[in-house]
Amino acid sequence: ENRPIPEPGPNEVLLRMHSVGICGSDVHYWQHGRIGDFVVKDPMVLGHEASGTIVKAGSGVTHLKPGDRVAIEPGVPREMDEFCKSGRYNLSPTIFFCATPPDDGNLCRYYKHSASYCYKLPDNVTFEEGALIEPLSVGIHACKRAGVTLGSKVFVSGSGPIGLVNVLVAKMMGAAAVVITDLSASRLQKAKEVGADFTIQVKNETPQEVASKVESLLGCMPDITVECTGVQACIQAGIYATRSGGTLVLVGLGPEMVTVPIVNAAVREVDIRGIFRYCNTWPVAIALLASKRINVKPLVTHRFPLEKALEAFETTKRGEGVKVMLKCDPTDHNP
């Protein structure tokens, strides 16, 4: 609250923040102080799913002006390295990323960011939708890496926000059938709402039993599995479920070491792919939202003003609803 308002550099913009979604990673840093090798050593501002209004543009910024409503891509490369040159800037080892130690996020009233990674929102796309482009981007990147296409049969493991955006994107990209699993009946109901064809509420089944349920519902083994939990048993189920010659994409992050039936995958030529965040997805997502081809609005189940951020984080930690959204600007009544 008492932080000074930052001054944007020549290629930066200063934003008055509007909507910021809470991500599982934000909660994890808050509770555990680290995710893998990323350790919180000093106080850090959270938040990386965000939109706002430009209040000041640096002298070198030509494509944006004060008053523009924008969505913020939180990952900004610091140098033009080999990964940036090849269009895979998300893999750049020196990338700045909001709310990944030691980089501050944007859950605040005013925030400055690289202008090249702020994207103007069309009038028919709300601030809230703009903030949801970040999780939506994970789905776009994962489904692209998976090769989802016309007629694909897809198995999505985990029905949290990231599982749900993968359902949305897979259907958009032409998947003929999507089956999704979760422990929670309410989350599976939400998955049905956003377009899942089949749901499986997992109780005590073995990974092989889950795989066989997936196959029986789809009428065949899926070409593609998108694993969004990071849980060992779910990764195992993903390998068993995926058809020979198919692709398993690992989106969820769990323990560093997991035991998986790797020989089963190897001898059936199941390709296992990782994803790290996303790249080149904001223009795609904005086009999908503006054309109303994708509807992310049902994902937001809770809204809190910035003053009640702690309550919002507690709500997310308890796993209530799907996406919790914080409103940073109490005076702004824009969409």
Side-chain angles (χ1 to χ4, degrees):
E1 279 298 302
N2 302 318
R3 293 157 63 87
I5 294 177
E7 189 64 27
N11 299 310
E12 294 178 325
V13 288
L14 175 66
L15 301 112
R16 189 174 70 238
M17 300 306 296
H18 188 285
S19 295
V20 181
I22 299 179
C23 172
S25 69
D26 292 320
V27 174
H28 202 87
Y29 281 126
W30 169 48
Q31 288 293 300
H32 304 285
R34 68 181 298 157
I35 294 177
D37 295 335
F38 297 108
V39 182
V40 180
K41 293 178 178 156
D42 297 298
M44 180 180 82
V45 178
L46 292 169
H48 59 266
E49 306 177 0
S51 64
T53 305
I54 291 175
V55 290
K56 197 170 187 178
S59 55
V61 179
T62 55
H63 69 293
L64 295 169
K65 62 185 188 307
D68 284 349
R69 302 162 57 252
V70 297
I72 299 168
E73 179 173 359
V76 180
R78 285 188 168 98
E79 55 183 311
M80 178 55 72
D81 59 15
E82 58 180 309
F83 297 106
C84 294
K85 287 175 183 172
S86 65
R88 301 181 73 178
Y89 57 87
N90 56 313
L91 301 179
S92 175
T94 60
I95 197 166
F96 166 92
F97 198 89
C98 292
T100 295
D103 303 332
D104 278 332
N106 43 36
L107 182 52
C108 47
R109 299 256 188 245
Y110 290 93
Y111 171 75
K112 70 173 182 178
H113 199 70
S114 165
S116 300
Y117 292 81
C118 292
Y119 301 82
K120 192 170 175 181
L121 292 173
D123 292 342
N124 68 340
V125 177
T126 67
F127 281 117
E128 217 162 71
E129 289 175 297
L132 288 165
I133 290 174
E134 197 279 342
L136 181 60
S137 286
V138 178
I140 293 170
H141 191 55
C143 288
K144 277 186 175 175
R145 292 266 297 152
V148 178
T149 187
L150 286 172
S152 298
K153 303 284 180 69
V154 179
F155 165 32
V156 176
S157 173
S159 189
I162 296 302
L164 297 176
V165 293
N166 273 285
V167 172
L168 282 167
V169 175
K171 295 293 281 193
M172 180 69 239
M173 288 173 76
V178 177
V179 59
I180 188 165
T181 53
D182 202 90
L183 300 168
S184 157
S186 62
R187 291 208 156 182
L188 291 172
Q189 183 52 44
K190 184 61 81 172
K192 275 274 195 200
E193 280 175 43
V194 303
D197 298 280
F198 307 104
T199 62
I200 299 170
Q201 187 174 2
V202 179
K203 295 198 168 73
N204 312 315
E205 294 88 347
T206 65
Q208 290 98 326
E209 285 167 347
V210 171
S212 100
K213 281 190 171 185
V214 168
E215 182 179 5
S216 65
L217 280 172
L218 288 174
C220 60
M221 294 171 85
D223 315 285
I224 288 158
T225 297
V226 184
E227 207 301 297
C228 302
T229 71
V231 174
Q232 177 172 287
C234 298
I235 300 170
Q236 293 170 352
I239 289 175
Y240 290 131
T242 309
R243 67 174 291 177
S244 299
T247 303
L248 166 66
V249 175
L250 301 175
V251 182
L253 298 176
E256 187 177 355
M257 292 288 178
V258 293
T259 303
V260 294
I262 203 73
V263 173
N264 178 293
V267 300
R268 298 192 303 107
E269 296 190 6
V270 172
D271 291 349
I272 299 174
R273 295 187 164 197
I275 73 154
F276 187 58
R277 298 170 179 157
Y278 32 66
C279 57
N280 305 303
T281 53
W282 257 252
V284 176
I286 289 170
L288 288 170
L289 292 168
S291 62
K292 304 302 177 193
R293 299 299 301 276
I294 272 192
N295 180 16
V296 290
K297 289 177 182 174
L299 298 181
V300 181
T301 53
H302 295 71
R303 293 169 181 86
F304 293 88
L306 186 57
E307 294 78 8
K308 295 189 176 175
L310 187 58
E311 202 179 315
F313 270 78
E314 295 281 6
T315 302
T316 307
K317 182 185 160 194
R318 290 193 298 268
E320 291 174 27
V322 179
K323 178 57 67 178
V324 176
M325 193 67 68
L326 279 156
K327 301 296 185 183
C328 297
D329 187 354
T331 64
D332 200 332
H333 301 296
N334 274 332

